[in-house]
Amino acid sequence: MSGKFWGFLDSASRYRLLVSGHGKPHLMETANRIINSAESSREKSTLIDLGVDMLLAAWESSPLDGQLASNLLAINKQLSFLPAPLVETMSLIATNSAIPENLGYLQRLVSRDDKDKLLDYLSKQTEREPENLFWLSHLLDLAFFLGRHEVASAALSRDWPTSMNMVLNKYAGDIAFCSGDYGQAETIYSDTSGGALILGENLLRLAESVDRMGRRDEAMILWRDRMTARPWQVNTWFKVYERLLGSGGADMLGGQVAVCLYTFNKADDFDATMSSLAESPLDNVHIFALDNGSSDHTSDVMARWQDRLGDRFRRIDLPVNVGAPAARNWLKNMNELKLYDYVAYLDDDALIPADWQAHFSAAVESYPDAGVWGCKVVNEDQQEVIQHADLHLRETPADFEDVLRSFEFAYLDPYNQDLDYGQFDYCRPCVSVTGCFHLFRQSVLEQSGDFDLRYSPTQYDDLDHDLMLAVAGKSAVYQGTLQVKHKRKSGSAAAISRAARGSGAGNVIKLESKYEARDVAAIIARDTERLENDFTEKALKIGHVLKEME
């Protein structure tokens, strides 16, 4: 497939493709948008081919999806784009997959977000109805998300026809990859026994496995082939650019850095965070830690770190918990911070790598005018699950009307729709980055204004600050090579108090009533332009490298 399709896309479809070429729901939504728009386009054939290929990629990420397989088979009757082995496999899956008539209990479990009960229920249903792949498909998706590879392996342990080998290789390869056994993942992903095809998504994961074992030249051949076959998968282009041409950056940021933390009754987590920070070079770093009125042994932990780090550690003790935005502002407005070139905020339950400065340094070198630089955040105990990456806003519907709200806050979240197989390892502009660990120039932080107290005690104050920067014309920059491990959030919505959920929902309304719809539309327009310029520049540079490889 050539890249000429970019000029035929409507702005909303182009924006979505620039955001990501991964994430099953994201791909399906974007593909359907493109296919529907093709009816009124002079480039109907090109757009339909693009949309259908995206649907195929969506299926490859979850190949036991019988409904999607049925849709692709129906399209294939008209376009004949699927190879015969794939038609055989999809037909088997579609024939043996049916949506149950009564999904009431399943839907209740999903709404409660009780993942353990949901996994148990799906396991039992898979055992009761092994002939219906609907249950197995959902069980595998959840088992991988929870890191329950033993459940996935057990569920797949049955007699399968040879035509299912390409699907089994996907799941078995993913288990090996997520377990860190890249050699085994390579063996499985590249298996063509019994005439099995290698799915496009498997080829990308094969390339990543090979690269992680230090065989960059072999990985480049695979990536080159995938960029040729699917030029719309921008993640591959961004990642390859980062691996080959990205700024290496200096080992440390070029200036003095103030790392600011605030904590409330999380003494052990704070201690672990400090341990990870202390393992990194601190020659140009001073740590400011605010105890937000803790009643546990946080004070003792701070005293130990003050003894260990001496003048490089400054503690601030407050008698009460003033909340996250006020704590950020307290630290931000200390006179001492004006002496620093950079200010970083670090959550009290995050674990950072020793080379965090090198990653931030590379991002600053690549995008020196950014308003803020951020990282990729993953679960501490299951690092293939991404909590936060680069955030890009969704458009508010044109007919949206509300007495309180000016716009409808929503964002494109492809990084939450699949596990991390390296597809988000890039550095580029975005609208917002997570406040778990983000870096500001001190001068920009001072000029941008305080964090808004209306979001007390917590939630959305960091996002709001990024939107303040965006309204002023500043972009955030996501550095996906900086991976920060964050404590896993509660796996069940039921475990979160009604009051906490209500506070979060209330803060969303505050966010939606603070900004005008035209401001949000302008933010999205600037984000689209930055993404397009960034992709075009990097794609041209990669193109020169690929020509040299020929």
Side-chain angles (χ1 to χ4, degrees):
M1 179 183 288
S2 72
K4 64 180 182 179
F5 61 84
W6 286 106
F8 308 147
L9 295 171
D10 63 89
S11 59
S13 298
R14 187 167 64 253
Y15 176 48
R16 281 159 174 74
L17 265 188
L18 287 166
V19 167
S20 183
H22 290 276
K24 179 182 169 185
H26 177 78
L27 289 177
M28 292 177 67
E29 176 194 348
T30 308
N32 288 327
R33 179 185 289 269
I34 290 172
I35 291 171
N36 290 335
S37 72
E39 292 300 321
S40 58
S41 172
R42 288 180 294 180
E43 303 296 338
K44 179 178 179 179
S45 177
T46 299
L47 291 178
I48 288 178
D49 287 347
L50 171 61
V52 170
D53 193 41
M54 293 175 67
L55 289 177
L56 179 58
W59 177 81
E60 290 171 357
S61 69
S62 183
L64 289 177
D65 186 330
Q67 184 62 54
L68 188 49
S70 295
N71 293 344
L72 286 165
L73 288 170
I75 296 172
N76 188 62
K77 288 182 179 179
Q78 297 180 340
L79 302 182
S80 299
F81 68 98
L82 294 173
L86 203 52
V87 170
E88 182 181 359
T89 301
M90 285 186 176
S91 298
L92 179 63
I93 292 168
T95 302
N96 291 279
S97 183
I99 299 175
E101 292 184 6
N102 187 359
L103 291 174
Y105 184 67
L106 175 63
Q107 290 169 342
R108 286 195 296 275
L109 287 179
V110 171
S111 66
R112 294 172 188 164
D113 199 25
D114 192 334
K115 293 184 174 61
D116 291 332
K117 280 190 177 180
L118 183 57
L119 186 71
D120 181 64
Y121 175 70
L122 291 172
S123 296
K124 290 177 179 177
Q125 290 300 109
T126 300
E127 292 174 3
R128 291 190 187 111
E129 301 179 41
E131 72 285 351
N132 188 355
L133 296 179
F134 171 90
W135 298 112
L136 179 59
S137 175
H138 286 80
L139 173 62
L140 292 176
D141 286 347
L142 182 58
F144 273 96
F145 179 77
L146 296 177
R148 297 291 301 276
H149 300 147
E150 79 285 358
V151 173
S153 294
L156 289 167
S157 296
R158 60 171 81 172
D159 291 330
W160 295 95
T162 304
S163 60
M164 288 293 288
N165 281 359
M166 69 179 78
V167 173
L168 299 176
N169 288 344
K170 184 268 183 198
Y171 290 112
D174 289 352
I175 291 173
F177 187 103
C178 292
S179 302
D181 189 346
Y182 302 119
Q184 180 69 2
E186 177 192 8
T187 299
I188 297 171
Y189 286 141
S190 59
D191 178 30
T192 56
S193 61
L197 298 177
I198 303 178
L199 301 177
E201 287 297 296
N202 284 9
L203 287 168
L204 284 176
R205 294 171 192 183
L206 172 62
E208 185 67 19
S209 300
V210 169
D211 191 59
R212 293 191 184 190
M213 290 188 290
R215 290 149 51 197
R216 174 71 44 93
D217 290 345
E218 294 176 54
M220 268 307 306
I221 294 172
L222 291 165
W223 281 326
R224 179 194 62 193
D225 291 346
R226 296 319 301 159
M227 287 187 287
T228 301
R230 284 178 174 162
W232 54 266
Q233 282 192 316
V234 298
N235 306 60
T236 308
W237 293 81
F238 283 128
K239 177 173 68 175
V240 169
Y241 178 89
E242 208 62 41
R243 301 281 170 91
L244 295 183
L245 303 170
S247 170
D251 290 341
M252 293 192 296
L253 287 158
Q256 295 297 304
V257 185
V259 176
C260 298
L261 304 92
Y262 52 93
T263 185
F264 174 69
N265 282 349
K266 294 165 72 174
D268 293 336
D269 288 344
F270 173 75
D271 191 37
T273 296
M274 283 298 305
S275 294
S276 72
L277 179 56
E279 289 175 3
S280 65
L282 299 178
D283 305 57
N284 61 335
V285 173
H286 193 106
I287 301 163
F288 295 84
L290 184 149
D291 182 353
N292 218 347
S294 299
S295 57
D296 63 357
H297 58 286
T298 295
S299 181
D300 295 334
V301 173
M302 285 204 176
R304 289 199 300 272
W305 281 107
Q306 193 165 40
D307 289 342
R308 176 174 169 180
L309 297 178
D311 292 341
R312 294 206 172 276
F313 185 89
R314 162 83 188 279
R315 65 181 290 180
I316 301 98
D317 296 290
L318 300 186
V320 295
N321 185 349
V322 298
R328 284 175 174 270
N329 291 340
W330 192 297
L331 292 161
K332 167 183 176 291
N333 289 291
M334 293 174 62
N335 287 330
E336 294 98 313
L337 257 67
K338 293 179 173 59
L339 303 175
Y340 293 86
D341 301 286
Y342 296 97
V343 177
Y345 286 100
L346 173 62
D347 275 4
D348 60 356
D349 56 356
L351 304 176
I352 61 176
D355 61 349
W356 61 270
Q357 284 203 62
H359 293 285
F360 272 143
S361 174
V364 171
E365 183 176 318
S366 297
Y367 303 95
D369 297 325
V372 59
W373 300 270
C375 60
K376 176 170 69 177
V377 179
V378 301
N379 281 356
E380 177 196 15
D381 56 351
Q382 194 188 351
Q383 294 166 39
E384 66 271 20
V385 176
I386 299 176
Q387 293 183 11
H388 297 283
D390 49 334
L391 186 145
H392 304 271
L393 294 175
R394 279 185 176 273
E395 307 92 337
T396 296
D399 59 352
F400 177 78
E401 289 186 11
D402 191 89
V403 174
L404 294 177
R405 303 177 297 156
S406 302
F407 75 104
E408 191 172 52
F409 172 65
Y411 56 92
L412 301 167
D413 63 340
Y415 56 83
N416 289 146
Q417 298 173 9
D418 201 354
L419 298 181
D420 186 6
Y421 297 98
Q423 66 271 45
F424 299 98
D425 291 356
Y426 50 73
C427 182
R428 69 170 182 179
C430 59
V431 171
S432 179
V433 290
T434 174
C436 176
F437 189 34
H438 53 170
L439 178 77
F440 299 86
R441 289 192 194 276
Q442 192 280 330
S443 57
V444 172
L445 184 62
E446 185 174 14
Q447 294 166 8
S448 61
D450 284 350
F451 291 85
D452 198 328
L453 296 179
R454 79 183 73 188
Y455 301 103
S456 296
T458 188
Q459 287 189 291
Y460 301 104
D461 51 301
D462 51 347
L463 170 63
D464 171 72
H465 196 272
D466 287 354
L467 293 183
M468 289 165 57
L469 289 168
V471 169
K474 289 280 189 182
S475 76
V477 166
Y478 163 74
Q479 176 54 292
T481 67
L482 174 53
Q483 179 168 295
V484 172
K485 293 182 284 189
H486 201 234
K487 295 292 184 183
R488 181 193 288 269
K489 302 297 183 184
S490 173
S492 170
I496 303 173
S497 72
R498 187 181 300 273
R501 280 180 280 150
S503 177
N507 280 356
V508 170
I509 294 177
K510 293 174 186 177
L511 187 77
E512 292 171 328
S513 62
K514 179 176 179 178
Y515 296 93
E516 296 295 330
R518 63 178 177 272
D519 293 330
V520 175
I523 289 172
I524 293 174
R526 283 194 294 270
D527 187 32
T528 304
E529 182 179 6
R530 288 187 181 110
L531 288 174
E532 192 159 18
N533 291 340
D534 193 64
F535 175 68
T536 300
E537 179 183 343
K538 290 175 179 177
L540 288 172
K541 291 179 180 178
I542 292 172
H544 291 309
V545 174
L546 296 181
K547 285 183 179 180
E548 293 175 359
M549 291 176 57
E550 294 176 355

